Structure formats: structure tokens, C-alpha cells
Amino acid sequence: MPAEAMDIDQMEVPLTAEQIKAQANQEYKAGNYAAAVDLYSQSIKLEPSNATYYGNRSAALMMIKKYNDASKDCQTAIRLDPGFVKAYLRGAKCQLQLGNVSESIRLYTKVLEMEPGNAQAAKEKAQVAHVQAQIDQVQMYMTNKQFGLGANAVDRLLAMVDSVPRKWMIWKGECLIGKKDFNSASSVAMDLLRQDSQNSDAIYLRAQVLYSQGENQKAVTHCAEALRCDPDCIKARHLMKKAKNLEAQKTAGNDAFKAGKLQEAYDLYTSALALDPENESTNSKLYSNRATVLSKLGRYEEAVQDCDASLKLDPTFIKVLRKRAECQQKLEMYEEAVRDLKAALEMDKTNRDIRRELQQAELELKKSLRKDYYKVLGISKDASDSEIKKAYRKQALIYHPDKNDGDATAEAKFKDVGEAYGILSDPTKKHRYDSGMDIEGGGGGMGDFDGADVNSMFYQMFANSQGGGGSPFGGASFGGGSPFGGGSPFGGGGSPFGHAGHGHGGRGHSFHFD
């Protein structure tokens, strides 16, 4: 049949906007909210100035938690019908779910101005006021840098709504950064970015995490992206500048160190430390770097102090534990060095280098508990043979018993001086002593001198140096070829230290000091 001849009863009659709205209402009642949204949208397309259609669609959108879209529909409905109370109420609920509490309170207040007896508006406004009190508490904690309490307060805040307002999650991320829980803060930032990869606040939060972790260059990149998404994001601009300056200063210090310009490197690291005292991750690295410079300069006590500062900011910094142990050994703080290396090995149990360093430190600790012959002679551990001999002569003259008549302490020191020289002047014994073989081998003959050995060695040295017959204390010999007279080096009694001779009988031939 030609189209012109078709019966008018057989032709489809388009549904009116009101009929489509009725279908949408049925879908809404059946819980088919997405279908209801589509149908309400068709009604709006047919009659875009009907406030009721926008109001109904906002209700359906709220049921599928599209609060931002629902809020826009409420705003349109109110513009088309300023007396549309339901639109105000729904708009207030949407604003709460979006985290815009002050706007929610404003809309409830508007309803109560239009209908002072509206119990629903009064009840819900009071509930929102409670939410506002919780927000005030969060902001107080953040202002006071009580970030742990702030994070807990945000969690309580989130429990008051069905949605997860983005701005509240930003607060939680910032609190987590403040309490140094960078992994959790990073998770918050990444969740927000998965929802909206172009959100400048979420990108900036991620930049804050990276900056707090010492990843300055990555922080700069994220700040630049935040500014691309929102050129007015001033906080991203400030953080980018700070991160750039800090990274540039640290890099300059590293370059100066590599070039051997130690004082310049020290100054650059010091300046970098002053840029942001709150950036603990970067500052821990800066203290570590400066400690390395100080160690190279031989300023070990200051290096230990910088290691202390670094570890206070990051107690798990293994490299710094090893550096501090190295400096402590230079300062002969062997117990502390062993403790640090044990802590480092506990953190990295398979590290062979740390295990080797610990074994060496433990050996040095054992060696330090022996008599230190270098200290006895007052020389460094790299003293030459001539320096060892010169130091021995000096110390032996100071503590010789004849010069310290009756002084048991001086007598003991004189013996120690002889022992020290006997070990350090003999290449084989010195090697065993320096390597700790005397510890591992149970003594190895170290320190088995007696007074006669020391005295004999003392006079032999002076006899060799003076061609015989001279007194080690200057002047001529004092009778019988002995420097002090009599057959004994100190006269009478046969004692190597002349105890009898120093009593009464042999006194007449003893040497006296002024």
C-alpha cells in the first residue's frame, strides 16, 4: 500500500515529554536508575525549560552516586523555578557528598527561610553542621601538625558520607605525608589519579609525596603537569621552584666533591640543608654527603655528628651506619663501630661487605683492649723506625726509675715503654701486633718483658748511640763504668731497678736530679 494511503491509526505517534517522564518514573520505582536517567533526559530534550524534569533526573543520578551531575541538575531546576524546595534539598545533599559543606548548609538555610517548619531541612542541616565540626577538627590538627590525629579525623569524616569527596582524600594524603607514611600517601594520590588523571590537586599531591621522598626531579615533573592542567595552581609552582633549587644545590655539591673541591662541596651541602629543614628525606642524604666530605678532610668527630643527624631523619640509612662506623674507628670508638655495623648487617643480612667490615671492627675492638704500644710511645700507627726509636729514647728518659726514685707508677711506665719498643722495633713482632695475630694466637710472646730486659735494652741503646761509657743523662760515667755507679745500673743489691741501692747502702753513688 502506498505511504499516502496508510491509515492514520497505523502511524506511530511520538510520545510527549510528560509521557516519557511517566515511563522514567516507573523505571525509577523499579530501581532501574540508569534507564530512568535516559528517559528523563529525553523529556528534558523535548521541554528543556521544565524544572521538574531536571529535579527528577537529579534524584535518579543521586541513586547511582553521580553527585556532581545531580548537583548541576538541581542548580538548573532552581534557576528555572526558584521556589522548587525539593531541588534545594537534593542540591544540599549533593553538595555534602561532594564535600562542599558550607554550600550544603546554605541550601538548607534557604529551604528553612522558605518553609520555617520544614523538619527534614532542619534535621539534615544539623547533621551537616556536625560534619562541619569534624572538618574544623581536621583542619585544626593539620594546622598544629598533628598529622596522625588529622588522618584519623579524616577517616571519621569519610564515614559520615556515602561518597569519597576528593578534597577530603587530598587532606588525608597530606596528613599521611605529614606523619611520614609515604607509601599510604602515594596510594591515595594514585587512587585519585585513576579517577581523574587530569585533576591538578591529585597530581600536586603526588608531587608532594615524591618531594618528601627526596625524588626532587620527579616532583618537578609532576608540578609541571599540575600546572599544565591548571595554570593557576600556585602551590604547584612554589613546590616546583623549591624542588629545583634543592636538587640544583645538591647536584652542585656532588660535582664539587667529585672534582676534589672538598671545602666547596661542604659549603654547598650546608647551603642546601638550609633550603628546607622539613624535607627529611633529602636532608638525610645531604647530611650523609657532608659527612663523607668531613671524613675526607679528616674531621671525623664532625663527620660522626652529621651521620647522627642523617640517621635521626632516616634510621634505616645503611650507608650512613657504615660511614659512621668508619669514622668511629678513626676515633678509636670501636664498640660504637661494632654496634653500627651489626645494625647495618641486621638490615642487610646477605651483604658480604658489611660482614667483612664488622669482622675487621671486631678485631680492632679486641686489639684496642690490649696495651696500646703506639700510645705508650706517643706516636701514630704509621710512625717510621727512626720515629719509634726517637720516641722510645724520650719516654725512657722521662720514666727511668733513677729519675723517679720510689715512684712505682713511673717504674711501671718505664717497663711499658721498653715493651713497646721491643715489639715495634722488631718487624716480625710489629707485624703480628698490627695484624692482631697476637690476639688470635693467644699472645704470641707479646708483653713478656721483665725489668732487667727493659733496663738492658735501655743502656744498650745509649751505649750504641754514644760509643759506650757515656751516661744517658749527660755528663761522665759515675764510677765503675756504670752510668749510676756500682755493679748494678742503680748501685747495690743486684736488683735491676736498684731497690736496695736506693735504700741506704748504695746511695752515695746514685745519680740525683735537681
Side-chain angles (χ1 to χ4, degrees), residues 14-36:
L15 296 176
T16 65
E18 196 64 22
Q19 289 173 325
I20 296 173
K21 185 198 81 168
Q23 290 181 3
N25 290 345
Q26 291 301 316
E27 295 290 351
Y28 184 93
K29 291 176 182 177
N32 300 323
Y33 303 114

Side-chain angles (χ1 to χ4, degrees), residues 390-402:
K390 181 178 178 181
Y392 167 66
R393 289 166 61 93
K394 178 181 177 181
Q395 296 299 318
L397 285 170
I398 292 172
Y399 295 112
H400 197 285
D402 195 68

Side-chain angles (χ1 to χ4, degrees), residues 461-482:
M461 171 179 282
F462 279 97
N464 291 338
S465 66
Q466 298 179 17
S471 167
F473 301 105
S477 297
F478 292 87
S482 165

Side-chain angles (χ1 to χ4, degrees), residues 101-333:
V101 176
S102 59
E103 178 62 13
S104 177
I105 291 175
R106 186 190 73 80
L107 292 171
Y108 281 123
T109 301
K110 186 67 176 178
V111 171
L112 290 170
E113 288 174 355
M114 292 188 291
E115 297 180 359
N118 192 311
Q120 178 186 354
K123 179 182 178 181
E124 292 178 359
K125 181 181 178 182
Q127 292 172 340
V128 176
H130 181 60
V131 174
Q132 181 61 57
Q134 187 67 25
I135 289 175
D136 293 341
Q137 192 172 50
V138 169
Q139 293 176 337
M140 179 194 71
Y141 285 139
M142 292 180 71
T143 299
N144 294 335
K145 298 186 177 181
Q146 296 173 290
F147 296 111
L149 294 173
N152 291 337
V154 173
D155 286 337
R156 291 194 295 272
L157 191 60
L158 291 169
M160 296 177 176
V161 295
D162 297 328
S163 63
V164 182
R166 182 178 288 115
K167 67 169 65 175
W168 295 0
M169 290 306 297
I170 294 291
W171 292 344
K172 182 170 182 178
E174 290 175 344
C175 286
L176 290 168
I177 291 172
K179 63 182 287 194
K180 318 303 178 190
D181 188 353
F182 300 126
N183 289 335
S184 297
S186 180
S187 295
V188 169
M190 296 308 294
D191 286 344
L192 290 170
L193 288 170
R194 277 189 283 271
Q195 297 171 27
D196 182 1
S197 63
Q198 302 300 302
N199 183 267
S200 61
D201 288 332
I203 298 170
Y204 173 69
L205 179 63
R206 176 64 178 152
Q208 285 180 288
V209 173
L210 292 167
Y211 177 72
S212 298
Q213 291 177 313
E215 299 286 352
N216 297 314
Q217 194 54 55
K218 291 181 180 179
V220 169
T221 301
H222 278 71
C223 286
E225 178 64 13
L227 286 166
R228 187 188 67 78
C229 296
D230 179 10
D232 295 327
C233 188
I234 297 175
K235 55 189 178 182
R237 193 178 304 280
H238 288 165
L239 182 61
M240 182 167 67
K241 181 179 179 180
K242 187 161 57 174
K244 278 184 175 180
N245 290 341
L246 190 53
E247 186 64 20
Q249 196 83 346
K250 181 165 74 73
T251 300
N254 294 346
D255 292 342
F257 177 79
K258 292 174 185 176
K261 301 175 181 177
L262 298 181
Q263 187 58 51
E264 181 180 336
Y266 175 87
D267 293 339
L268 287 165
Y269 290 139
T270 301
S271 297
L273 281 165
L275 291 177
D276 185 2
E278 294 185 0
N279 190 324
E280 295 187 356
S281 183
T282 295
N283 288 344
S284 179
K285 295 173 185 176
L286 289 169
Y287 277 120
S288 170
N289 291 356
R290 197 171 72 172
T292 301
V293 171
L294 288 165
S295 177
K296 288 283 187 181
L297 291 169
R299 293 157 60 178
Y300 301 115
E301 290 184 357
E302 294 174 75
V304 168
Q305 291 173 3
D306 269 7
C307 288
D308 292 344
S310 177
L311 289 166
K312 184 177 181 181
L313 299 176
D314 182 3
T316 66
F317 205 156
I318 293 177
K319 176 183 175 182
V320 179
L321 282 169
R322 295 171 68 182
K323 173 58 64 178
R324 186 166 70 176
E326 176 188 320
C327 294
Q328 286 166 338
Q329 291 185 75
K330 295 290 186 181
L331 296 168
E332 301 183 3
M333 300 167 63

